Amino acid sequence: MAEPPSQRAALQRLPWSRAGSAAMALPAPLPARSMELAPAPVPSPVAAAAGRELHVSGSAELSAGPDRARVSVRLGSRKGAAGAARSSVSRRLEYIAHSARHRGVPEENMTVTEDFSRLENTYQMEAEVSIIFNDFGKMQNVCNLLTEKLGTSVTISPPHFYHTPEAIDALRRQVCVAAVGNTRQKAQEVCRLLGQSLGKPLLIREEETKEWGGHTDSQQPNAPDSQTLQERILNATAYASCRVFAVFEIKGKENRRKKLL
């Protein structure tokens, strides 16, 4: 019965060599296995570009002068007859309103309050006209005219300068836009210094906003009467500052050839 072949490598008897010794053959080498290395993954351009960012912050500060001024004109009369007291005040009230309308002040910007009372054997009529101006040059013209024509029979208060809510909102928008513009300009200068090209903004965040100065319509004027008109305007000036943070994409090196073209 034939023996099963051994799983070990078989030994073959070789013919006798000239030296008279037999040579023993080594096991046949195992066939070589081919190993293929997978190519290294190529980084995605999108993933590579995602890390090319520029983080920068910027700020701006703006001011805005008042856009409104309110002037009060007070007048009164004290007569023995009620009709005479009323008539004296009414004539001057009509002249004040006519002078303001003639210089472009709309009717809705004038408010008249009257107070009629009796003191002992006389009648007293008092009135106050509040006029709102958006043109300070017209305001001066009206006040000078009333002082010239009516003299001491009227008392004109110093103007109270203030901002409307719309003017304050406009100042807030303008300072925020200016801060974003300054931030973008800073990012462009940094990229230009490094030979890069600034891409689109990826994030813009308003970090801090401050406001100071300025007056409102409801605020009571507390400036001394000795202040000049320009000093009153300066004291009523509103200020605002804004700081923003932005992240911009960096496109890569600038194309110098395009620059030359």
Side-chain angles (χ1 to χ4, degrees):
M1 187 173 179
E3 296 182 359
S6 175
Q7 294 181 357
R8 297 183 179 179
L11 297 178
Q12 297 179 357
R13 188 177 297 276
L14 296 180
W16 291 98
S17 64
R18 291 183 180 179
S21 60
M24 183 178 292
L26 297 176
L30 296 176
R33 294 182 181 179
S34 60
M35 300 181 62
E36 297 181 358
L37 298 178
V42 180
S44 170
V46 177
R52 298 177 58 82
E53 297 176 351
L54 176 62
H55 297 211
V56 64
S57 61
S59 61
E61 181 178 320
L62 295 178
S63 63
D67 61 324
R68 293 291 190 275
R70 186 178 69 250
V71 173
S72 296
V73 183
R74 299 181 179 88
L75 59 155
S77 177
R78 188 174 181 179
K79 303 286 185 181
R86 289 181 181 273
S87 177
S88 174
V89 173
S90 296
R91 288 194 304 269
R92 283 175 285 168
L93 283 176
E94 180 59 30
Y95 182 80
I96 293 171
H98 172 76
S99 300
R101 285 194 301 265
H102 183 68
R103 282 156 182 81
V105 179
E107 195 74 30
E108 58 268 20
N109 283 7
M110 290 183 286
T111 304
V112 180
T113 56
E114 299 178 351
D115 180 63
F116 185 75
S117 60
R118 182 173 181 175
L119 299 175
E120 299 178 352
N121 295 327
T122 61
Y123 295 91
Q124 181 170 301
M125 180 73 177
E126 293 180 336
E128 180 179 352
V129 185
S130 178
I131 309 175
I132 298 177
F133 296 90
N134 55 14
D135 187 325
F136 301 156
K138 292 180 179 180
M139 177 196 69
Q140 287 183 290
N141 292 336
V142 171
C143 292
N144 292 339
L145 178 65
L146 297 180
T147 301
E148 177 184 353
K149 298 298 183 181
L150 300 180
T152 57
S153 65
V154 296
T155 302
I156 303 176
S157 68
H160 170 58
F161 295 98
Y162 65 95
H163 293 82
T164 59
E166 293 79 11
I168 295 297
D169 289 341
L171 177 62
R172 292 168 181 160
R173 292 193 302 270
Q174 292 170 2
V175 72
C176 180
V177 171
V180 173
N182 292 342
T183 304
R184 186 176 185 276
Q185 182 179 0
K186 181 190 292 186
Q188 284 180 328
E189 293 177 358
V190 171
C191 285
R192 190 177 301 114
L193 179 65
L194 302 178
Q196 304 294 312
S197 178
L198 186 66
K200 62 183 179 180
L202 303 177
L203 171 68
I204 297 178
R205 182 174 64 239
E206 185 179 18
E207 292 194 324
E208 184 185 46
T209 301
K210 293 182 180 179
E211 298 176 14
W212 65 96
H215 294 158
T216 60
D217 184 20
S218 59
Q219 187 174 357
Q220 295 297 324
N222 54 4
D225 295 344
S226 59
Q227 279 191 341
T228 64
L229 192 67
Q230 292 300 324
E231 288 174 342
R232 293 178 182 276
I233 294 177
L234 182 61
N235 288 339
T237 299
Y239 301 86
S241 66
C242 179
R243 187 176 76 245
V244 300
F245 172 79
V247 178
F248 291 92
E249 180 187 18
I250 300 178
K251 289 183 178 179
K253 293 185 178 181
E254 292 182 338
N255 193 335
R256 301 183 180 275
R257 185 176 180 182
K258 288 183 179 180
K259 276 187 172 183
L260 296 176
L261 294 178

